[in-house]
Amino acid sequence: MSFADIKKAADATSKARKALEGVAFLAPESAPVITTLTDAEGELQALPPEYFPVGYVSTDGYTWGGDTDTEEVEALGYASPVRNDITKTTREVSFSAYNVYHANLLAVAYGMDLSEAKKAVSGEITFDRPALPDKIFYRLIVIAKDGSGANEIYRAKHNPRVSIVEIPEETWNASDAKAFEFKFAAEVDPLLGTAEREFIAGPGAKTQELGFKPAG
């Protein structure tokens, strides 16, 4: 075989993925965790009613990051460590949300409960922020779509226990949209035993070879 033959067999443009569209939902920690995204045909199912949409986010989209701490063991006569152990990992999720006047997003951003805040007949809303924000845990799911029709494929990350790392900074001016730049720390959910559940789903996932064993 020539190198071109090997390359043709190894590479395919369909293997390069993008998040052409994406949506994020938050829910109270008391809400059900997400166990499945789609039905038997690969079509999306409705999320539990406790999950509320984040709405528009900036074109930066959604970012998952974190840190990993390791401990090295060095040995006499060796230039490289003879052992590496991962001792700690942290996960963070960040995005910039534009729906900054909605009660759900304000409550998340300010670390407070706004369930009893009322809108007057005039449309005016007034609430007092706490001197010290509460650490409130939420469930978060982000679903991204790539492709279309029979090739539509979904990639999702479900963080069952997140809380904001810091109160978002706010900038009010005439040139930039107001946004909450959220940064969440993802913690291990005590019942699920994980900080992040991954999904690959949709009609495209049903028909394409992705290297996973079939169920059954």
Side-chain angles (χ1 to χ4, degrees):
M1 295 179 69
S2 67
F3 181 81
D5 293 331
I6 296 174
K7 189 171 187 294
K8 184 177 180 181
D11 296 344
T13 56
S14 62
K15 294 178 181 178
R17 298 294 181 181
K18 284 186 175 182
L20 295 179
E21 299 179 64
V23 289
F25 293 83
L26 286 160
E29 192 182 18
S30 59
V33 298
I34 306 300
T35 58
T36 182
L37 283 182
T38 57
D39 59 21
E41 301 304 316
E43 300 296 329
L44 283 171
Q45 300 184 104
L47 296 175
E50 295 93 334
Y51 284 75
F52 57 86
V54 169
Y56 291 119
V57 300
S58 71
T59 54
D60 293 330
Y62 312 92
T63 301
W64 287 264
D67 293 311
T68 301
D69 293 344
T70 61
E71 287 183 353
E72 297 179 345
V73 176
E74 298 182 350
L76 181 65
Y78 289 85
S80 301
V82 296
R83 176 170 175 163
N84 262 311
D85 294 306
I86 296 175
T87 58
K88 179 183 176 182
T89 61
T90 59
R91 294 289 286 163
E92 290 183 347
V93 189
S94 58
F95 52 84
S96 294
Y98 290 144
N99 198 9
V100 297
Y101 290 168
H102 197 283
N104 288 336
L105 271 286
L106 285 164
V108 176
Y110 295 160
M112 62 184 299
D113 181 5
L114 283 172
S115 60
E116 297 302 317
K118 299 293 191 292
K119 181 167 69 171
V121 175
S122 65
E124 182 174 315
I125 302 159
T126 302
F127 59 89
D128 295 327
R129 291 177 61 175
L132 187 65
D134 288 333
K135 183 175 183 178
I136 302 174
F137 289 102
Y138 295 91
R139 303 199 191 281
L140 169 69
I141 185 166
V142 180
I143 308 170
K145 181 187 84 77
D146 195 12
S148 60
N151 294 319
E152 193 162 286
I153 192 165
Y154 312 124
R155 184 74 165 89
K157 288 181 180 286
H158 182 28
N159 300 103
R161 196 168 198 253
V162 299
S163 61
I164 58 171
V165 174
E166 57 187 23
I167 301 299
E169 184 179 89
E170 296 181 57
T171 301
W172 296 5
N173 60 48
S175 58
D176 300 311
K178 293 179 182 178
F180 288 138
E181 296 184 4
F182 285 119
K183 181 181 286 187
F184 293 93
E187 299 184 18
V188 173
D189 183 89
L191 296 179
L192 269 68
T194 183
E196 196 163 279
R197 173 172 282 175
E198 306 276 354
F199 295 89
I200 303 171
K206 186 174 181 179
T207 59
Q208 295 174 34
E209 171 53 48
L210 299 175
F212 291 89
K213 293 180 181 179

